[in-house]
Amino acid sequence: MSTASVTRSVVVERDIAHPPEKLWRALTQPHLISEWLMRNDDFQPVAGHAFRLSGDWGGVDCEVLTVEPGKVLTYRWDHPHEDPAFNLTSVVSFTLTPTATGTRLRMEQTGFRPEQKQAFGGARYGWEAHFTNLERVLRDWNRE
């Protein structure tokens, strides 16, 4: 049985009333990432670049895998943990598609094993909250 057949993915999609270029900046500039996702030390949109995202609960080790400016950003998202239910090795992909009113943002996080129900549920909840934060950051950015 392949790994793909025994893992699940979290997918969140939103239509956001901002152009892809603005959304791309929010996905790739460290100070903006810190405002909507998590604190980070030195994110760079360069394939092979390693970075860490940190929250109050701990953090994730990441490595940029794919960069197509304004279109696709993919990175490894690993949360090492002693408990296998939380020891996550996953990939997060953002896809930006221009629309008549802005951008359709699609995020997919792959790699949740069947025994990781709590981590999967936490990710589903977390990404919805992160996207709400992202929309707030983009809205507030317009006021500056």
Side-chain angles (χ1 to χ4, degrees), residues 59-122:
V60 290
D61 298 318
C62 302
E63 179 186 348
V64 178
L65 302 174
T66 307
V67 179
E68 294 179 37
K71 296 178 182 175
V72 177
L73 176 65
T74 303
Y75 44 83
R76 202 183 75 243
W77 177 287
D78 296 343
H79 181 248
H81 199 280
E82 292 175 6
D83 183 341
F86 296 99
N87 184 24
L88 181 64
T89 300
S90 66
V91 173
V92 171
S93 300
F94 297 98
T95 305
L96 289 74
T97 305
T99 65
T101 58
T103 306
R104 171 156 281 249
L105 177 61
R106 181 181 196 275
M107 184 289 312
E108 181 174 7
Q109 183 175 8
T110 62
F112 293 93
R113 296 183 313 276
E115 70 273 15
Q116 296 180 312
K117 289 180 176 66
Q118 190 171 355
F120 179 81

Side-chain angles (χ1 to χ4, degrees), residues 18 22 132 134-143:
H18 296 282
K22 185 171 185 177
T132 298
L134 175 60
E135 288 180 304
R136 178 189 45 77
V137 166
L138 291 166
R139 187 177 55 248
D140 291 350
W141 190 0
N142 271 349
R143 294 184 188 137

